[in-house]
Amino acid sequence: MVTTIALLGAGRIGKVHAKAIAEDKRARLVAVADAMAPAAAAIAEATGAAVMTIDAIEADGSIDAVIICTPTNTHADLIERFARAGKAVFCEKPVDLDVARARACADVVREVGGRVMLGFNRRFDPHFLAVRAAIDDGRIGDVEMVTIVSRDPGPPPAEYIKVSGGIFRDMTIHDFDMARFLLGEEIATVSGTASVLVNPEIGELGDYDSASLVLATASGRQCVISNSRRAAYGYDQRIEVLGSLGSVSAENQRPVSIEIANKDGYTRPPLHDFFMTRYTAAYAAEISAFIDSIENDTAPSPSIEDGLMALALADAAVRAVKEKKTIAVG
Amino acid sequence: MVTTIALLGAGRIGKVHAKAIAEDKRARLVAVADAMAPAAAAIAEATGAAVMTIDAIEADGSIDAVIICTPTNTHADLIERFARAGKAVFCEKPVDLDVARARACADVVREVGGRVMLGFNRRFDPHFLAVRAAIDDGRIGDVEMVTIVSRDPGPPPAEYIKVSGGIFRDMTIHDFDMARFLLGEEIATVSGTASVLVNPEIGELGDYDSASLVLATASGRQCVISNSRRAAYGYDQRIEVLGSLGSVSAENQRPVSIEIANKDGYTRPPLHDFFMTRYTAAYAAEISAFIDSIENDTAPSPSIEDGLMALALADAAVRAVKEKKTIAVG
Amino acid sequence: MVTTIALLGAGRIGKVHAKAIAEDKRARLVAVADAMAPAAAAIAEATGAAVMTIDAIEADGSIDAVIICTPTNTHADLIERFARAGKAVFCEKPVDLDVARARACADVVREVGGRVMLGFNRRFDPHFLAVRAAIDDGRIGDVEMVTIVSRDPGPPPAEYIKVSGGIFRDMTIHDFDMARFLLGEEIATVSGTASVLVNPEIGELGDYDSASLVLATASGRQCVISNSRRAAYGYDQRIEVLGSLGSVSAENQRPVSIEIANKDGYTRPPLHDFFMTRYTAAYAAEISAFIDSIENDTAPSPSIEDGLMALALADAAVRAVKEKKTIAVG
Amino acid sequence: MVTTIALLGAGRIGKVHAKAIAEDKRARLVAVADAMAPAAAAIAEATGAAVMTIDAIEADGSIDAVIICTPTNTHADLIERFARAGKAVFCEKPVDLDVARARACADVVREVGGRVMLGFNRRFDPHFLAVRAAIDDGRIGDVEMVTIVSRDPGPPPAEYIKVSGGIFRDMTIHDFDMARFLLGEEIATVSGTASVLVNPEIGELGDYDSASLVLATASGRQCVISNSRRAAYGYDQRIEVLGSLGSVSAENQRPVSIEIANKDGYTRPPLHDFFMTRYTAAYAAEISAFIDSIENDTAPSPSIEDGLMALALADAAVRAVKEKKTIAVG
């Protein structure tokens, strides 16, 4: 049986998911909705899906699942609507910028027994999965300290910053989820610092572009997150986990792995300069996992609760920086 | 206008090409032929192509091009038939194990003005392409010495060795083509050694499993090729080019790029263990280049002449090892 | 003119300094003092120095300088005595475990116009020096974020922990100094966490064995320090500095740089397992710099004030962890 | 008992050996001879050795050993004289440019029961020693293929080329010795090519500046040597050994191991630009081994016979290139 899927939001990430569905024989993209008609039409043409309204998709009993790639402020509403409609839901992070709203949404999902998966794509990156597998296989003993370096090639436009919810809810949220994925224990406290080093405009909007955070679990496991909105050498995504028996790390990915040596030294090309090319395999794998969850009737992971936890950590980070305190996570 | 393509041979490499066609909007796989009916049927089902006989494909005026993935001893005949039929031809290497037969085939192609591209997939590997681009951009000055390390994870079965034409025509042939691709000047001489270090059965069949060759051009540019049928750590594919201003090299590719550090040291996982996973991108890119050549009516590259040159080098290598001499290439 | 030097303390670090002096033609080790007679005698025999008491060294007008490698609790007294005696002083870190006592000592040094250099050997590591040079040469633009990973191969014995002053004054103190060396601006705040993950005995003594700290300067530059008393793969000493135009990093050093590849992957040997073998070149270079300072009558660097600053940061770290607050550094 | 040593030849390599002796407590440099009086005087002053004539050194019964660093054309004579005089001899490679003369010298040494060690310093490089140890420990199984890349930063002056004996006797000779050190079986044949790509003057003198050689043993083990007189990125010295169970390799050494990442990519500094800085540790270790051999009355290694074998391989290489044949080594 083929799982029929509708895509809500036909922007750049919507296109990525449409492609992933097209390459998975177990599913078919049957509908696409977007406020921008040409965007929806383009995906429809490329995939054979129908352009439909969100209402029509909701009403269509033959559609099994939706993938939500619309603006953040619509996520919680759409999750609730489609969970109530009995459809499986995959939603891009975050559930909402407001943790209370997100929690209310999660309550609805629980009530109606909805199947909701959150788009923390990095959990599906083959390299990060291999890090996690090394931990699970006991190859580094007990996890003690996680180090996450996560830096964008360059800052987003001010327009985006305004609606992003701030660096912690927009960018670090992936790192919070990764920390939870690797630490093997819930995070109890957050401390750290943040500042504006890249673009003063970001500071004028009340946000930061550079942050260093320290997370700790109840048993004392630690995680350091280093974020910047600018890395001249590309999209910098590294992970290292120290355990009692050793460490495991995932290096950056490069589009080409050549090296030129001359009188000035040995030079390798810069990293990927865009998250979509860096995480191509991860995007495909997360959609595959979503279909798995539907086909096998298993709990989706990462879940909406994972989304809540990451949001709570973002809130704690905001307070830690502002109040200059180590914040206990609720 | 969409290019219509037929696939001759539905084995493992045929499947790879079928997938590449499916992902390229400019082309459509319309037919597949194979002596093994289930193999053809499987690809037909996955792609919507029709199962047809080779005769029917030849006769079908609506088919623009064929991709030949049948056994080596059929290549020359099929190239001639389909070139005469006015269809564009993509053929896996080699043209034939016998250089005279291959030359005759190339003559026919020339006579009828056929479009024939040879399947030297490595020319399309993004990393090797970047090596070539660095040379073309003048980043290492004049090319002086090329080093190619090319080792299989393990030896093929004796059955395969028997029909392979020997290590130089089967395995080194890719390296000969790569040497020509990088040296920027035709190869004038071949010398070297070969022996049986991996599997005595290979020796009993009159073949070698380990070889070290030195190629030279008229102006004195040099190339070293190191081949083995066994590399315990995976499919080892490295290239380095020394020039007057420096060098450029392409490192091995790995399925996952993690590293585990413990009391025994720092360990990264083995390489790819199969040429198809190593060269996934290259296979797609060569089919794309074939379609480019048809769409834009440009000369296909690598051409059947490139196939002849690689075969001539293989013959020279056989003689160099047997006669213990530096052999001038015809 | 040859600078004559006396060594106070003939332990393992004393031996390292004695060797450095022996290899520098501009200086001569003329005296050695140690409460353990055999230790002093061994160095005396190896170098031709005389075994003397500390009092006799102080009284000997022909001795130009002293190198203090005695237990920490004697440092401040000895610095004061020999500064008053008009001798140049090189002292191992820290000045004292108590910042007030250290400050008083620095006051004395200032009063008497003493020449005192502190033993922050890592500033002289050729790799870290190259990191600093890259910054000074403008190759990474403005410094924004420093990352220091500093992990010991294994925890010291409980006996040592008791007198060490705690992880921040004993181990992190080097990282505090390195942070100041690289940030280009004084550190204004410290936050972070620490815990006992390696050895419960360390916790029972009121100390930590694992720590993650975040430092920030007034302008918002940040530094992350990751410390552990245990790294199964060796003595882990890495530095990375992110700037507006790029980053510069110093990798770990290895005793041998071979790599073995087999069916289990690619393995490089572990790191150095001891700080003395890791920092061999740095130890020699710092003594050379001390002699430079004497010969050229230039201000010694790192100075006793650098020692005070590092101590103040250690105190701030203790408070940050205990009070769960971001601590402003005095 | 301290071994007393005289140094014959006070050039740059003589200075290196003098320093090694000074740092080894088991030996003392007591005499130095050189046709250039100031050179001898400089080393004498630095070490406390006496300036003496070669005759006087020969006659001095209190001198245990000599280190010969004089021009190549004096090596064989001096080895014979000092072997007859009953002194242990360490001699820089080669024994002589003429293999017959070298063989006669070896005969004399054998007759008089002399102790002669040859200066193939690379055998003592810690990284290459670790490669050999990995082989000896069975970590890569049976040795099959050795790859040696050995390239100088830039060509020597024409004056040097004239007296060097040609690239194979001057430069490749080290690689021949290393091949023997690693192959575990004598080399039976040599083939390959050589040309002039770097400096036409070298060609006018009848020599080559670029060479690719293939060596083979009787059982079929293979070795590839890649030589160039120019590598813009520094002194390139790499070794890789493929065995039945895997491979072991030694990477290049770098003066500093930093990496700068910016918009142009990731850049590490060039390699060492001089063999003396690259092989500092090896030079010290070979002198230490020489002293070991004297102290423990064990056979010196590498021996004069090792010197003969390397010379014979150089002769074979000259013929292989000139006669365009695979040459059997006598």
Side-chain angles (χ1 to χ4, degrees), chain C residues 258-326:
Chain C
I258 66 164
E259 187 165 47
I260 292 178
N262 59 27
K263 69 181 171 48
D264 299 321
Y266 283 68
T267 301
R268 294 179 292 163
L271 307 179
H272 288 283
D273 62 354
F274 190 36
F275 64 91
M276 286 191 174
T277 49
R278 165 63 183 84
Y279 285 118
T280 304
Y283 282 115
E286 71 174 354
I287 293 303
S288 174
F290 178 53
I291 298 168
D292 284 350
S293 155
I294 297 170
E295 279 209 336
N296 307 323
D297 193 18
T298 53
S301 172
S303 67
I304 193 167
E305 279 75 24
D306 292 314
L308 289 184
M309 290 302 304
L311 267 179
L313 290 166
D315 278 15
V318 171
R319 287 186 53 208
V321 171
K322 195 173 296 179
E323 302 175 19
K324 299 184 187 301
K325 287 199 300 199
T326 299

Side-chain angles (χ1 to χ4, degrees), chain D residues 230-241:
Chain D
R230 174 178 62 198
Y233 47 87
Y235 186 43
D236 187 359
Q237 299 280 295
R238 285 171 285 162
I239 281 177
E240 182 185 279
V241 186

Side-chain angles (χ1 to χ4, degrees), chain B residues 32-245:
Chain B
V32 55
D34 197 294
M36 312 282 276
I43 289 185
E45 199 196 323
T47 61
V51 173
M52 292 174 71
T53 63
I54 288 181
D55 288 347
I57 291 169
E58 188 183 0
D60 187 334
S62 76
I63 295 177
D64 300 323
V66 294
I67 290 181
I68 302 175
C69 314
T70 50
T72 294
N73 59 5
T74 66
H75 286 182
D77 287 349
L78 290 173
I79 290 173
E80 293 180 0
R81 273 175 73 175
F82 284 90
R84 287 190 204 276
K87 299 190 192 307
V89 174
F90 175 97
C91 185
E92 282 301 317
K93 62 89 200 164
V95 177
D96 195 275
L97 294 180
D98 179 63
V99 78
R101 178 68 191 92
R103 201 166 286 135
C105 175
D107 289 344
V108 170
V109 171
R110 208 175 305 111
E111 250 173 60
V112 305
R115 179 191 308 284
V116 178
M117 177 168 163
L118 253 283
F120 286 124
N121 60 298
R122 295 186 196 170
R123 288 198 186 203
F124 299 92
D125 177 69
H127 313 288
F128 297 167
L129 278 174
V131 166
R132 170 66 186 261
I135 296 171
D136 291 347
D137 293 351
R139 298 191 62 185
I140 64 162
D142 296 326
V143 168
E144 294 174 354
M145 303 177 86
V146 173
T147 305
I148 300 175
V149 174
S150 174
R151 296 170 183 157
D152 286 346
E159 283 315 297
Y160 179 82
I161 294 285
K162 280 181 201 167
V163 299
S164 70
I167 191 171
F168 297 127
R169 290 185 192 92
D170 176 56
M171 182 176 170
T172 324
I173 199 160
H174 279 293
D175 307 310
F176 289 131
D177 185 64
M178 189 50 60
R180 293 183 60 240
F181 186 59
L182 297 173
L183 277 168
E185 187 185 356
E186 283 302 338
I187 293 158
T189 64
V190 179
S191 62
T193 197
S195 55
V196 180
L197 298 170
V198 176
N199 184 354
E201 256 192 290
I202 292 175
E204 286 155 21
L205 293 167
D207 197 5
Y208 314 106
D209 54 35
S210 306
S212 297
L213 298 179
V214 171
L215 318 178
T217 70
S219 78
R221 296 182 180 196
Q222 304 170 16
C223 174
V224 160
I225 298 174
S226 176
N227 285 155
S228 173
R229 288 288 195 184
R230 175 178 59 198
Y233 47 87
Y235 186 44
D236 187 359
Q237 299 281 295
R238 284 172 284 161
I239 282 176
E240 182 185 279
V241 186
L242 176 71
S244 52
L245 301 180

Side-chain angles (χ1 to χ4, degrees), chain A residues 41-64:
Chain A
I43 288 184
E45 199 196 323
T47 61
V51 174
M52 292 175 70
T53 63
I54 287 179
D55 287 348
I57 290 168
E58 188 183 1
D60 188 335
S62 76
I63 295 178
D64 299 323

Side-chain angles (χ1 to χ4, degrees), chain A residues 139 143-145 147 149 151 189 191-198 210-216 219-228 230-233 236 238 240 242-247 264 320 323-327, chain C residues 139 143-145 147 149 151 189 191-198 210-216 219-228 230-233 236 238 240 242-247 264 320 323-327:
Chain A
R139 298 191 61 183
V143 169
E144 294 174 355
M145 304 178 86
T147 305
V149 175
R151 297 170 182 157
T189 64
S191 63
T193 196
S195 56
V196 179
L197 298 170
V198 175
S210 306
S212 298
L213 298 179
V214 171
L215 318 178
S219 77
R221 297 181 181 198
Q222 305 171 17
C223 174
V224 161
I225 297 174
S226 176
N227 285 154
S228 173
R230 175 178 60 197
Y233 47 87
D236 187 358
R238 284 171 286 161
E240 181 184 280
L242 176 72
S244 53
L245 301 179
S247 75
D264 299 321
E323 302 175 21
K324 298 184 187 303
K325 286 199 301 199
T326 299
I327 301 296
Chain C
R139 297 191 62 184
V143 168
E144 295 173 356
M145 304 178 86
T147 304
V149 175
R151 297 168 182 159
T189 64
S191 62
T193 196
S195 55
V196 179
L197 298 170
V198 175
S210 307
S212 298
L213 298 178
V214 172
L215 318 178
S219 77
R221 297 181 181 197
Q222 305 171 17
C223 174
V224 161
I225 298 174
S226 177
N227 284 155
S228 174
R230 174 178 60 197
Y233 47 86
D236 187 0
R238 282 171 287 160
E240 182 184 279
L242 177 71
S244 53
L245 301 179
S247 75
D264 299 321
E323 302 175 19
K324 299 184 187 301
K325 287 199 300 199
T326 299
I327 300 297

Side-chain angles (χ1 to χ4, degrees), chain D residues 106-184:
Chain D
D107 289 343
V108 170
V109 170
R110 209 174 306 110
E111 250 171 61
V112 305
R115 179 191 306 285
V116 177
M117 178 168 161
L118 253 283
F120 286 123
N121 60 299
R122 294 185 196 171
R123 288 199 187 202
F124 298 93
D125 177 68
H127 313 288
F128 297 167
L129 277 175
V131 166
R132 171 67 186 261
I135 296 171
D136 292 347
D137 293 351
R139 298 191 62 185
I140 64 161
D142 295 327
V143 168
E144 294 173 356
M145 304 178 85
V146 172
T147 304
I148 299 175
V149 175
S150 174
R151 297 169 182 158
D152 285 347
E159 284 314 299
Y160 179 82
I161 294 285
K162 280 180 201 167
V163 299
S164 70
I167 190 171
F168 297 127
R169 289 186 193 92
D170 176 56
M171 181 176 171
T172 324
I173 199 161
H174 279 294
D175 307 310
F176 289 131
D177 186 63
M178 189 50 59
R180 293 183 61 240
F181 186 58
L182 297 173
L183 278 168

